[in-house]
Amino acid sequence: MSITTPRFTDKVAFVTGGAGGIGRATALAYAAEGARVAVADLPGAGHQETASMITTAGGTATAIDLDVSDAAQVVAALDQVVSTWGRLDVAFNNAGLEQTQTLTADLDDAEFDRIMSVDVRGVYLCVKHEIRHMKATGGGAIVNTSSGAGVMGISGQAAYAAAKHAVIGLSKSTALEYVGDGIRVNVVAPGMIDTKMIERLTGGTDDGYADVIAQEPIGRLGKPEEIASAVLWLTSDDGGFAVGHTLVVDGGQTIG
Ligand code: NAD
């Protein structure tokens, strides 16, 4: 018999895109294993509710309004976390936007910039300032959210795929730069996960869901909790030898 010990007792976790889906599931999972959790998202997105779910269950959480594409807001959010709880141990840079299905020659330039500003610049800004705080307290662990679209091309998704490939390049490079400081940077690449993002992509129709599920050899959508458990592994001591790794959790979608 083994007794499971919470892996994040006394740790401080920062989760972006924490209002729902993968971010909320991960924030709840960190809290369930003892972490104090700062749940960040756009104003009005619903991250206050995630924080309330944690505190109602007896955990410690705070909700922070944050647009990850805005450098000053990222700095202020992380300063708030560290001034409140004294440190930052783990960060999940998960906020992201999907692309409307469009062939590249028809893609609006503003749409390209919108995707890049959140899915790449937002991750870059968070990593940059998280590292500063983690270095000050002797280390930490970061996971950035890529996608199946980060490891393969998808027709009609050039901007999103470019952004999610960029997350992997950014993460591998920063992993090399800071592993000597005790900071591990890794990536999770989810397949099709049952969240609001997929609801928007499918239009919420049975046919839409059937099309998406058809891309999944496992024959179903993933659950947000199945990504959360991968993120917790990567950021815990259990994953202590994983550096610059992209953990694909995708029901077989990208096997090829
Ligand atoms: P979601 O739409 O529920 O979550 C995305 C969150 O990001 C939302 O809460 C949204 O408000 C937040 N967000 C958007 N722009 C932001 C900004 N500028 N600043 C701060 N927060 C912002 O969908 P999800 O599926 O939980 O997505 C989470 C991550 O997983 C995204 O990066 C997404 O690209 C990635 N992903 C999702 C799937 C999937 O099938 N659901 C697959 C692969 C990758």
Side-chain angles (χ1 to χ4, degrees):
M1 187 186 90
S2 66
I3 297 170
T4 306
T5 310
R7 293 171 291 180
F8 295 93
T9 305
D10 296 330
K11 304 272 190 197
V12 173
F14 177 71
V15 176
T16 71
I22 294 167
R24 172 175 286 179
T26 306
L28 296 179
Y30 275 130
E33 293 211 35
R36 292 164 281 177
V37 187
V39 191
D41 209 309
L42 292 169
H47 46 308
Q48 185 67 57
E49 190 183 313
T50 305
S52 297
M53 290 165 79
I54 292 171
T55 53
T56 302
T60 304
T62 187
I64 300 178
D65 286 349
L66 171 64
D67 178 345
V68 293
S69 67
D70 183 311
Q73 289 188 35
V74 171
V75 169
L78 290 164
D79 283 354
Q80 183 183 331
V81 173
V82 173
S83 69
T84 306
W85 290 325
R87 54 188 303 109
L88 175 67
D89 298 292
V90 294
F92 181 38
N93 301 315
N94 164 74
L97 289 176
E98 72 275 21
Q99 180 192 340
T100 48
Q101 184 70 15
T102 315
L103 296 179
T104 303
D106 302 321
L107 185 60
D108 191 273
D109 296 345
E111 171 72 348
F112 181 86
D113 291 345
R114 189 179 74 95
I115 303 294
M116 288 294 159
S117 73
V118 176
D119 293 4
V120 183
R121 179 181 161 85
V123 173
Y124 154 72
L125 289 172
C126 288
V127 167
K128 175 176 180 174
H129 296 291
E130 288 156 0
I131 283 170
R132 194 164 45 79
H133 287 296
M134 288 176 176
K135 276 184 81 170
T137 48
I142 296 171
V143 169
N144 299 319
T145 304
S146 179
S147 168
V151 296
M152 66 178 181
I154 301 183
S155 176
Q157 291 288 321
Y160 185 72
K164 292 300 187 179
H165 276 72
V167 167
I168 294 175
L170 173 76
S171 305
K172 284 180 173 176
S173 302
T174 50
L176 283 174
E177 290 170 354
Y178 297 103
V179 66
D181 295 303
I183 300 168
R184 294 183 302 103
V185 182
N186 289 289
V187 177
V188 69
M192 296 297 188
I193 310 300
D194 194 3
T195 70
K196 294 274 184 206
M197 188 174 282
I198 288 295
E199 192 179 316
R200 291 190 295 270
L201 282 171
T202 59
T205 64
D206 288 348
D207 284 352
Y209 275 105
D211 284 348
V212 169
I213 291 169
Q215 298 175 38
E216 282 290 3
I218 201 169
R220 65 170 175 86
L221 295 178
K223 301 175 199 152
E225 294 75 16
E226 291 173 316
I227 304 306
S229 62
V231 175
L232 264 66
W233 182 81
L234 283 168
T235 50
S236 72
D237 290 344
D238 291 341
F241 205 53
V243 175
H245 180 64
T246 297
L247 184 51
V248 177
V249 183
D250 73 345
Q253 181 196 16
T254 63
I255 288 174

